[in-house]
Amino acid sequence: MERSMTDKREAAAEARARRVMILEDDEATAELIRFYLQEEGYETAVALIGKDFARKVAAYRPDLITIDVILPDVSGFSVFKTLQENEATRDIPIVFITVRESTKEQGLAMGAAGYVVKPFSEGDLKATIRSALGAAQQP
């Protein structure tokens, strides 16, 4: 029993150290994602448009990124490609969060670590983020 409590504390401390950058044009959805992730102990930053997102990512240095596919100024897939082409950001796991269920296969085929369809449940979002971060740590 004591060991499991220690493991839980270590997992919570590890989660607190993790940083997630959220690219979502809808402020209410961005704040909901932020709330759920902060509830798990993640540090978060939000960007509402794709312009200069790669620069913002380089400055924030997140452990994971969430990207909405449909943005007002650029496609989320385009942002993904830009991040994948940059040596400094290509290894950061990316989870798409979007209303477009029809592009799920495309997003995963591109190399996304996860894909969450809106409207999403708190549990699905958190599980996808945990899974993406866990997979990123595999050798």
Side-chain angles (χ1 to χ4, degrees), residues 98-112:
T98 186
V99 297
R100 283 198 174 161
E101 187 169 0
S102 64
T103 58
K104 181 175 184 175
E105 285 184 35
Q106 178 184 355
L108 295 174
M110 290 174 69

Side-chain angles (χ1 to χ4, degrees), residues 37-95:
L37 296 181
Q38 286 180 342
E39 201 174 51
E40 291 291 297
Y42 298 106
E43 293 178 31
T44 60
V46 173
L48 300 174
I49 59 172
K51 182 180 179 189
D52 297 325
F53 186 70
R55 183 182 52 76
K56 293 172 186 174
V57 167
Y60 188 66
R61 299 170 41 113
D63 298 295
L64 183 133
I65 299 166
T66 69
I67 298 176
D68 185 359
V69 172
I70 305 168
L71 298 166
D73 61 336
V74 66
S75 161
F77 289 140
S78 176
V79 172
F80 179 91
K81 287 178 186 174
T82 299
L83 294 169
Q84 293 298 298
E85 292 168 357
N86 184 326
E87 189 175 326
T89 57
R90 78 171 47 126
D91 293 328
I92 300 171
I94 296 173
V95 172

